[in-house]
Amino acid sequence: MATSNELDDTEYVCTLSDELIIKAEVELNEKPEWRERDIQALRDMILKKPELKIRMDDAYLLRFLRAKKFDYDRAFNLIMKHFRMRADEKNKQLFENLRPSAVKHVLDAGVTGVLPHRDRQGRRVMIFRPGKWDPTKYAIDDIFRANFISLTKLVEDDETQITGIIMIADLDGLSLNHAKNISPFYAKKISGLLQDSFPMRFKGIHYVNEPVVFDMVFAVIRPFMKQKILDRIHFHGSKYEELSEFIDTQYLPSEYGGTAPPFSNEEWTRTLLACEDEFVEDSKYGLVKAIAKPQTTCKDDTLDCLAGSYMNIDM
């Protein structure tokens, strides 16, 4: 296993279209002529932290730089937060057995999936249908794992790192039995993990078929959502025609007012299951507890405040 002490010198090969290269420069401050320098700068920061045992190839580090618009400090802090959340004992159960085969029952139930086509702005489209979850058969943590694995696979793609994702949350079938499994503590934890600790650009959430009970669910979730996310939330009810403003009708599943076949996550399930070995390998990386050393103050050195025991890092 390659670590921060065993450099993987795999160089990034750009396959972006000219249009996306321009978009990345305008929106993310990514300059092709500086890309190699920027990646190396982030790598140098990681090398100073022996407790970080992570992938060091260009493509992997690039996803964090893009997520933070090529601000080295913010990209590094995101890496620390990402691996801190995975190492935290409070989240341990969420990241155990984090591989596609372990959540196949969630995928088979059709709870989560991804459309094969992008929306009009080039964003990937996740479909989340929590009403298809049977709380008597498996825990809500399995839902998190299935979504986390899907996001992890999606963020590997260069184009998606730049354009981001949107989600259609179909709440048909959501009941009080589902709602009582979402406590304020759980909502806070999950919102924090995805909003603050994952290198993805979340560009929109589109709710459809909202039942009355969703008012209670959203009241629990809303306080933990950042204003940037709240501004990107849309409620459509059964007005599926509004979705066509974002996704071409020819690609929109028929149950959502499109002309494409009904949604199926079978292809996405096969995609994830084919990546089993990748997720097993990924589980070997992480943040290990460093040897204790004297504390420094943040005004002395911002980055050194992130060093030492990872237990001292704030989410």
Side-chain angles (χ1 to χ4, degrees):
M1 177 184 70
T3 69
S4 56
N5 294 321
E6 301 171 4
L7 289 183
D8 182 342
D9 294 324
T10 303
E11 293 185 3
Y12 171 72
V13 178
C14 182
T15 59
L16 298 173
S17 65
D18 291 342
E19 180 181 1
L20 282 172
I21 289 174
I22 293 172
K23 181 180 178 69
E25 182 166 356
V26 172
E27 296 185 10
L28 306 180
N29 302 315
E30 179 176 348
K31 298 184 182 298
E33 65 271 24
W34 293 351
R35 189 187 292 124
E36 184 177 347
R37 179 207 67 180
D38 294 338
I39 293 172
Q40 187 57 49
L42 179 58
R43 182 180 289 120
D44 289 342
M45 296 172 77
I46 296 169
L47 286 171
K48 295 178 182 178
K49 308 300 174 187
E51 64 270 31
L52 271 177
K53 307 297 183 182
I54 67 173
R55 282 174 53 185
M56 296 288 281
D57 55 284
D58 289 0
Y60 184 75
L61 299 183
L62 190 55
R63 69 183 64 172
F64 290 94
L65 284 167
R66 285 171 171 160
K68 293 302 180 182
K69 300 184 178 181
F70 279 75
D71 182 313
Y72 306 154
D73 288 350
R74 294 177 66 219
F76 176 80
N77 195 35
L78 177 59
I79 288 173
M80 294 297 287
K81 284 184 175 181
H82 181 80
F83 286 99
R84 165 64 175 84
M85 76 169 179
R86 297 181 66 159
D88 195 321
E89 283 295 319
K90 292 181 293 185
N91 302 324
K92 184 177 180 180
Q93 77 281 5
L94 293 176
F95 296 98
E96 289 180 337
N97 211 14
L98 195 65
R99 50 194 177 87
S101 63
V103 294
K104 187 175 182 295
H105 56 287
V106 180
L107 300 170
D108 287 344
V111 174
T112 191
V114 178
L115 291 185
H117 300 284
R118 298 174 183 272
D119 77 345
R120 289 178 176 173
Q121 297 183 46
R123 302 172 293 195
R124 291 304 302 267
V125 183
M126 286 189 69
I127 304 290
F128 180 46
R129 302 185 292 182
K132 293 188 175 295
W133 164 42
D134 184 347
T136 67
K137 292 184 177 179
Y138 51 90
I140 193 172
D141 287 350
D142 287 0
I143 305 293
F144 171 83
R145 277 189 282 268
N147 285 332
F148 190 89
I149 286 171
S150 289
L151 288 171
T152 300
K153 187 60 183 174
L154 285 172
V155 81
E156 291 179 0
D157 180 70
D158 272 351
E159 183 173 350
T160 304
Q161 291 170 19
I162 294 167
T163 58
I165 67 166
I166 64 171
M167 175 184 287
I168 295 177
D170 181 356
L171 305 181
D172 184 42
L174 192 74
S175 67
L176 185 61
N177 193 34
H178 294 103
K180 67 183 183 181
N181 282 275
I182 307 174
S183 67
F185 173 78
Y186 193 87
K188 179 180 181 180
K189 179 165 65 173
I190 299 304
S191 297
L193 295 182
L194 296 182
Q195 289 181 119
D196 302 324
S197 308
F198 199 88
M200 177 68 84
R201 304 185 76 196
F202 296 96
K203 306 300 289 185
I205 302 174
H206 298 267
Y207 289 106
V208 297
N209 299 320
E210 308 97 302
V212 174
V213 71
F214 180 63
D215 291 341
M216 181 175 68
V217 175
F218 194 67
V220 172
I221 298 173
R222 182 188 176 97
F224 308 114
M225 288 183 166
K226 290 185 174 181
Q227 190 60 47
K228 181 171 67 173
I229 297 295
L230 289 171
D231 291 342
R232 295 173 180 177
I233 290 178
H234 307 269
F235 300 97
H236 301 292
S238 59
K239 297 179 181 178
Y240 304 134
E241 65 274 10
E242 295 177 0
L243 293 175
S244 65
E245 298 176 17
F246 302 89
I247 307 166
D248 289 326
T249 305
Q250 68 187 97
Y251 300 139
L252 197 60
S254 58
E255 64 265 48
Y256 302 122
T259 58
F263 172 69
S264 169
N265 69 341
E266 290 182 5
E267 181 180 343
W268 184 246
T269 298
R270 287 194 295 270
T271 295
L272 291 181
L273 291 175
C275 300
E276 182 85 0
D277 290 344
E278 295 176 21
F279 282 92
V280 171
E281 181 66 19
D282 183 66
S283 68
K284 299 175 182 177
Y285 298 105
L287 186 62
V288 298
K289 191 171 183 180
I291 298 173
K293 67 178 185 179
Q295 293 290 310
T296 59
T297 63
C298 288
K299 66 181 181 180
D300 292 333
D301 188 331
T302 301
L303 292 180
D304 281 347
C305 288
L306 296 173
S309 171
Y310 65 68
M311 298 304 290
N312 294 321
I313 301 170
D314 294 327
M315 291 277 292

